[in-house]
Amino acid sequence: MKIDYAAGIEAIRKEFELRPLSMENYQQYGTYGWQLTETEDADAVAQSQLVTAFMDIFENSYVD
């Protein structure tokens, strides 16, 4: 996911001033991915929405 959706991840990171994606902040990326507004790059917007979908699935399947 980090490779395939790199543009979306980077756009989320920049717009919401997040630290690089990690296990400590993946929930923020999932929350903000669909809220991206400060880019005109349609690919980055689409990827950011896929980041949200991926994080939702990841969070629901993650076992402590």
Side-chain angles (χ1 to χ4, degrees):
M1 188 219 34
K2 283 182 157 183
I3 293 168
D4 292 338
Y5 306 145
I9 292 169
E10 183 62 15
I12 296 167
R13 189 190 68 73
K14 284 182 178 179
E15 183 165 335
F16 298 101
E17 300 177 1
L18 301 175
R19 297 176 69 87
L21 179 61
S22 69
M23 286 298 293
E24 287 77 36
N25 67 0
Y26 74 89
Q27 293 167 324
Q28 292 175 312
Y29 280 81
T31 299
Y32 296 131
W34 67 275
Q35 300 177 34
L36 197 65
T37 60
E38 294 186 8
T39 184
E40 295 179 16
D41 182 348
D43 288 336
V45 172
Q47 286 182 19
S48 69
Q49 292 169 353
L50 290 170
V51 168
T52 293
F54 181 92
M55 293 304 180
D56 185 46
I57 294 167
F58 176 77
E59 188 172 46
N60 288 326
S61 65
Y62 186 76
V63 179
D64 288 324

